[in-house]
């Protein structure tokens, strides 16, 4: 494994790098993941459930990687989606920085702490 310097990076970045390296190590070979020759018809619903459970656990990192690629593709292919994500993220940040117990005024509407 690579040695990571902690001088220029914060603890969160270091933890993220360590997490990414651990996930990279658990990535299964793509030839094994996409090998459709190993597919066979299951005998009953119990076997289907068992196979799916095992498959999801065994190829978890592969599925996460594919999902992340699809999210990135959706964001790149739709700039409006990127704008919506930025607006939503900013709104969540602004709401979270409000003091607790304080009412929130948005677009002429008042939200009490109970509504938030």
């Amino acid at each position: 494994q690579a040695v990571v310097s902690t001088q220029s990076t914060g603890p969160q970045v270091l933890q993220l790098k360590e997490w990414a390296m651990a996930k990279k190590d658990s990535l299964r070979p793509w030839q094994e993941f996409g090998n459709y020759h190993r597919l066979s018809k299951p005998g009953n619903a119990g076997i289907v459930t068992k196979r799916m459970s095992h498959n999801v656990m065994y190829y978890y990192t592969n599925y996460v990687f594919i999902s992340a690629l699809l999210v990135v593709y959706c964001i790149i292919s739709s700039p409006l989606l990127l704008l919506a994500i930025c607006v939503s993220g900013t709104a969540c940040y602004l709401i979270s920085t409000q003091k607790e117990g304080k009412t929130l005024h948005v677009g002429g509407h008042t939200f009490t702490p109970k509504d938030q």
Side-chain angles (χ1 to χ4, degrees):
Q1 290 185 352
V3 177
V4 179
S5 172
T6 59
Q7 294 173 353
S8 63
T9 58
Q12 292 85 6
V13 175
L14 185 60
Q15 287 176 345
L16 182 62
K17 286 181 180 180
E18 289 174 358
W19 178 83
M21 290 299 288
K23 291 301 174 192
K24 182 181 173 241
D25 291 342
S26 68
L27 191 66
R28 304 293 179 181
W30 291 104
Q31 295 83 7
E32 179 184 335
F33 179 72
N35 186 358
Y36 62 89
H37 295 295
R38 293 179 51 199
L39 296 177
S40 63
K41 185 178 178 182
N44 58 37
I47 294 174
V48 171
T49 305
K50 184 177 177 183
R51 280 189 189 179
M52 286 179 61
S53 175
H54 178 266
N55 188 290
V56 168
M57 296 296 283
Y58 188 75
Y59 293 112
Y60 174 79
T61 308
N62 295 67
Y63 286 121
V64 169
F65 185 79
I66 290 172
S67 298
L69 283 178
L70 289 173
V71 167
V72 168
Y73 172 76
C74 288
I75 291 171
I76 290 172
S77 66
S78 176
L80 190 57
L81 178 61
L82 181 58
L83 177 66
I85 290 171
C86 290
V87 168
S88 297
T90 302
C92 288
Y93 173 75
L94 292 174
I95 290 170
S96 71
T97 59
Q98 297 290 325
K99 292 183 179 179
E100 283 190 36
K102 203 174 179 185
T103 58
L104 179 66
H105 303 284
V106 177
H109 298 282
T110 302
F111 297 97
T112 65
K114 184 179 178 184
D115 296 332
Q116 298 175 28

